[in-house]
Amino acid sequence: MDIELQTKTNGNHGATYLSKEQVTAGNGDGAANRITDVGENDGLLSAQTSGCNGGTVASDHAVETQINLEKIYTPQETSAMCRIKGELNEVIFWRVKLWMAIIFLFFLIFAVIIISMILCSVIHEDKDEIFDPSTFKVPQCFNGSFQLPNLVFTEELFTMSSNESQTLAGELKEKLADLYRSSPALGRYFSKADIYAFRNQSLMADYQLTFLMPADHQDQLRNVTLSREMVYNVFRQFLYDQEPDESGQMYIDPVSLKMFLNH
């Protein structure tokens, strides 16, 4: 077997490469087997390769792209979507389509729920809120005292008929009245608050609270709702919640609060 080296030129780019030809001596015409070396300027491999039977096979990237496109919508899904769209656009009455009826039904249900909630809040009445103040005739009185540390004591405060005493007493009575009328438990029973004396250099104020209750439940009210403990705790909690700076001269010292039941 003889090997012949030949130099050949690529027609496309003018590049050269070596070609080996193996010439086999035999009984035939001496057919040559050519082994061609790839040149450095040859083009890239095609995206398609030859199959076993001479056909072309798509590259992996092309196959993957086609599979992804098929996964987006299958024929069954496309058919179902078209059927649903057609059903929603179907006219069920005059010019009213099915999708219009569905939206109207949702709005109708929402409106019924809102109206029902409003009616329930209006119709519902708390039995505890229904009472007749004219039946509250039995008095329950509490006396006590407290200190006003931010006020300066003057001689006029000794006399309750003086302008200074009347002004201070009126402000304190209004403060106590607002306190008990805003109480959920005691507000309906509260009648009035009185300030009947100022004393001592530390400015102690003597007060009286009057509550009215119905005769039918007076025993229960005396022991629970209008007991000394309940009335005192409401007053004391109010005093601890007050801000000294905002109260100014009307600030009441919580520690100085005294209260007892007036029989």
Side-chain angles (χ1 to χ4, degrees):
M1 177 180 65
D2 298 332
I3 297 175
E4 181 180 356
L5 297 178
Q6 296 182 359
T7 301
K8 294 186 177 183
T9 303
N10 191 327
N12 294 330
H13 302 286
T16 60
Y17 60 89
L18 295 178
S19 175
K20 296 180 182 180
E21 292 185 356
Q22 295 179 354
V23 180
T24 305
N27 297 329
D29 298 333
N33 294 326
R34 298 177 182 272
I35 302 175
T36 304
D37 294 335
V38 179
E40 59 180 334
N41 291 328
D42 283 352
L44 297 175
L45 294 177
S46 173
Q48 295 182 343
T49 57
S50 298
C52 297
N53 296 325
T56 60
V57 180
S59 65
D60 292 342
H61 178 70
V63 173
E64 183 179 357
T65 302
Q66 182 176 0
I67 293 175
N68 291 336
L69 291 175
E70 292 177 354
K71 286 182 179 179
I72 296 176
Y73 292 113
T74 62
Q76 293 82 0
E77 292 176 346
T78 304
S79 176
M81 292 176 62
C82 292
R83 185 177 68 255
I84 293 173
K85 184 177 180 180
E87 292 176 354
L88 290 176
N89 289 320
E90 182 180 354
V91 177
I92 59 176
F93 174 73
W94 194 41
R95 296 182 180 179
V96 179
K97 297 183 180 180
L98 180 60
W99 66 268
M100 298 179 182
I102 294 175
I103 294 177
F104 174 77
L105 182 61
F106 275 110
F107 275 106
L108 181 62
I109 294 174
F110 179 76
V112 170
I113 294 174
I114 297 299
I115 294 173
S116 300
M117 294 176 63
I118 295 175
L119 291 177
C120 289
S121 62
V122 172
I123 296 174
H124 177 72
E125 293 182 353
D126 190 356
K127 294 182 179 180
D128 294 336
E129 297 297 329
I130 303 175
F131 60 91
D132 185 6
S134 63
T135 61
F136 295 0
K137 297 180 179 180
V138 180
Q140 178 87 323
C141 298
F142 299 89
N143 287 25
S145 62
F146 51 77
Q147 183 182 8
L148 301 168
N150 292 345
L151 275 177
V152 178
F153 183 79
T154 61
E155 295 295 332
E156 291 185 1
L157 293 176
F158 273 124
T159 305
M160 291 302 299
S161 59
S162 65
N163 292 335
E164 187 175 354
S165 295
Q166 290 293 324
T167 302
L168 179 58
E171 293 177 353
L172 290 174
K173 286 192 291 184
E174 184 178 357
K175 184 172 185 175
L176 297 182
D178 292 341
L179 156 64
Y180 281 105
R181 283 176 183 150
S182 62
S183 171
L186 304 177
R188 70 182 66 179
Y189 305 110
F190 179 77
S191 177
K192 63 178 180 176
D194 290 316
I195 303 295
Y196 56 87
F198 296 108
R199 54 187 173 83
N200 299 339
Q201 296 296 326
S202 57
L203 196 54
M204 298 293 295
D206 295 328
Y207 68 90
Q208 183 179 67
L209 304 174
T210 303
F211 297 85
L212 297 177
M213 54 188 171
D216 296 340
H217 307 286
Q218 60 176 312
D219 293 335
Q220 180 181 359
L221 291 172
R222 288 182 189 274
N223 295 327
V224 182
T225 306
L226 293 178
S227 64
R228 185 263 176 192
E229 289 75 14
M230 174 68 76
V231 177
Y232 174 79
N233 288 333
V234 170
F235 197 168
R236 184 178 62 174
Q237 184 62 47
F238 170 78
L239 297 181
Y240 277 110
D241 291 341
Q242 67 182 338
E243 295 293 337
D245 296 337
E246 296 179 0
S247 300
Q249 293 183 343
M250 300 299 295
Y251 174 75
I252 300 174
D253 184 9
V255 180
S256 67
L257 180 63
K258 302 291 188 296
M259 181 183 294
F260 58 89
L261 178 61
N262 185 7
H263 296 284

